[in-house]
Structure formats: C-alpha cells, structure tokens
Amino acid sequence: RNGEIQVYYQPIYYAWTGEIALAEALARWFSGEFGSISPAKFIPTLEESGYITKLDYHVYQTVYNLIEKRRKEGKRVVDIGVNLSRMDLMDKHIMDTILGDMKNSDLPSGSISYELTESAYAGVSEDGNSFLTKMHEEGTKLLVDDFGSGVSSFSTIRDFDFDILKLDMGFVQKIGLNRKNNNIIISLIELAHRLDLKVIAEGVETKEQADFLRNYGCDYFQGFYFAKPMPQEEFEALLDKQS
C-alpha cells in the first residue's frame, strides 16, 4: 500500500555463453521508518501469518506488467521466475487469477516461471497439485528451489515433472572444500540431466566455483559473481545492453 515493497531482479546466465537466460524476481522492503529490512526477517513472518500470498501476488503482478510492457515496446524479454509459497498453493483466488491470466493473456506461455521450495511442494494440496499440472501442460516452467536443503528432495523430483532444478547454494559455496561435497554436486547434475531437468547453480560467487560447475555440465549460473539482485530500471538496462 505504501510502495515500500519493491521487486528486484537477479539475472540467471547461460553457463557457456554468459548471456542472460532468465531471471528471478525477489521482494525487497525499504521501510520509511526502519530503512532496508532483510527478507530473512520479513518473509518468515509473512509465511507464518498467511500474508505471504499478498506479497507473492504483488510480485507476480509486477513481473506480469514488466513483461507485458517490454513486449509492447518491442524490447528483449526473458522468462522471469516468481516464487510460490505453500500458502499460495492453498489459496484458490491466487491460483484462479494466475490460470485466468494465462488463458486470457497475449503473453506467450512460459513468460513467467514459478519456483517452489521442496517443503512447499511436499505439503501441496490436491487443488495445488492440479493448479501446477494445468500450468505445466500449458508450457509454464516449474523450478525446484533450494534443492538439497530439505528432506524430500528425491521424492519431489520423482513425483512431479519439474523443468529446472536449482542447486542449493550450500553445496555451491563448499565447492573445493572437500571431495564428498564435490561428488554430491557432480552426481546431482548428472541425475538431473538423466531426468531431463536443467540445473541452475545458486550462490555462485567465485570464478573457481563457476569453472567447476561448468566443467561438470551445469546449465545456468545465478549469484553475485555474475550479478546481484537489482531494481527494475537496472535490470531493463542490462537486458537492453545484451539485445
């Protein structure tokens, strides 16, 4: 209501070409009273209270409007990922709205992709599962976020046809520290490809991490080594520069 929540965009890059492949939309809170507030503080509170659906819908609408605007202007567009929480998959209004927009919009299917954590999908309702299935059938990409940070990893990718696996940054940041961690990463990338999933490595912060992941077939990179989350104006300028 006060315009304090802003949507930032973090580009995700092709591992081999260095071009922007897609992006993730992230919420940032700039409070008039308290200044910048970390998502680690306000997101869990919103999830616990159930108000996370209002935030997620705000992010979705902002992303939708950005893609629509750039298409009308004839400018380059990439798929943008929006996070869906467990509460979203129990909220009939937000699910019906997204499906309605897909049906009535001129935007190509897949313009907006959706990211779910393992825990969000693990507790999905029958209506939520039907919603995800309908979107997927229409060509929308679905991503498993923070893969490897939860306890349901393998059942998650076994039971639903996701498109992209996002390797949790906890693995990426330990690249080179021990052989076991390295072998887990190599095995997860190979497993994902055997299941026809692409892999995004989250939290890539060094050249050494990028080189290791590239050598073992990782498809996309997301992290501060390539780009930090940025306001819409900066993100658009970056897209225009690569056009």
Side-chain angles (χ1 to χ4, degrees):
R1 184 172 61 242
N2 298 336
E4 295 181 0
I5 300 289
Q6 297 181 25
V7 178
Y8 271 45
Y9 299 85
Q10 187 170 24
I12 298 170
Y13 292 80
Y14 287 111
W16 290 99
T17 67
E19 291 183 308
I20 298 174
L22 53 158
E24 180 181 3
L26 301 160
R28 294 292 183 263
W29 183 7
F30 299 96
S31 166
E33 184 175 358
F34 300 106
S36 178
I37 300 176
S38 168
K41 291 186 177 181
F42 69 86
I43 296 292
T45 302
L46 290 174
E47 289 176 336
E48 291 169 9
S49 66
Y51 285 108
I52 191 67
T53 56
K54 293 183 180 295
L55 174 63
D56 289 344
Y57 185 67
H58 169 69
V59 173
Y60 161 76
Q61 280 193 313
T62 304
V63 169
Y64 185 98
N65 292 338
L66 170 61
I67 294 174
E68 187 176 50
K69 175 182 80 75
R70 288 188 65 84
R71 280 183 56 80
K72 288 180 178 177
E73 293 171 348
K75 295 182 177 179
R76 184 186 177 204
V77 178
V78 295
D79 294 352
I80 299 176
V82 172
N83 289 282
L84 287 179
S85 69
R86 181 175 58 86
M87 297 298 295
D88 295 331
L89 298 176
M90 294 189 288
D91 189 306
K92 193 172 187 301
H93 171 72
I94 192 171
M95 290 190 290
D96 286 348
T97 300
I98 291 173
L99 287 173
D101 287 346
M102 287 181 63
K103 182 178 179 180
N104 301 315
S105 171
D106 293 330
L107 297 186
S109 60
S111 296
I112 301 176
S113 54
Y114 296 90
E115 301 190 11
L116 296 88
T117 61
E118 299 168 59
S119 58
Y121 183 74
V124 69
S125 65
E126 185 176 337
D127 286 344
N129 194 68
S130 175
F131 163 71
L132 293 174
T133 300
K134 287 177 183 176
M135 288 205 299
H136 202 244
E137 289 173 348
E138 292 296 323
T140 297
K141 290 184 175 64
L142 300 176
L143 291 69
V144 184
D145 197 12
D146 300 332
F147 187 83
S149 63
V151 296
S152 59
S153 304
F154 294 106
S155 62
T156 300
I157 58 176
R158 178 196 65 198
D159 295 338
F160 195 84
D161 290 329
F162 288 95
D163 301 282
I164 298 176
L165 179 153
K166 297 189 75 175
L167 188 63
D168 184 66
M169 67 172 59
F171 289 113
V172 175
Q173 291 174 351
K174 292 180 180 178
I175 286 174
L177 296 183
N178 65 72
R179 182 170 173 269
K180 183 184 292 186
N181 182 78
N182 289 358
N183 284 335
I184 289 173
I185 293 172
I186 295 167
S187 299
L188 287 176
I189 293 172
E190 182 180 355
L191 172 64
H193 289 164
R194 285 179 178 270
L195 297 175
D196 297 322
L197 291 160
K198 299 292 188 182
V199 179
I200 295 172
E202 298 184 279
V204 181
E205 297 181 353
T206 68
K207 181 180 184 300
E208 290 72 24
Q209 291 168 353
D211 289 344
F212 175 91
L213 291 159
R214 190 182 295 111
N215 287 339
Y216 288 101
C218 185
D219 302 286
Y220 308 103
F221 296 148
Q222 179 178 4
F224 286 7
Y225 181 68
F226 296 91
K228 295 182 179 181
M230 60 190 70
Q232 179 174 315
E233 296 77 14
E234 289 184 28
F235 177 61
E236 288 199 73
L238 192 59
L239 281 180
D240 293 341
K241 186 178 179 181
Q242 283 201 357
S243 295

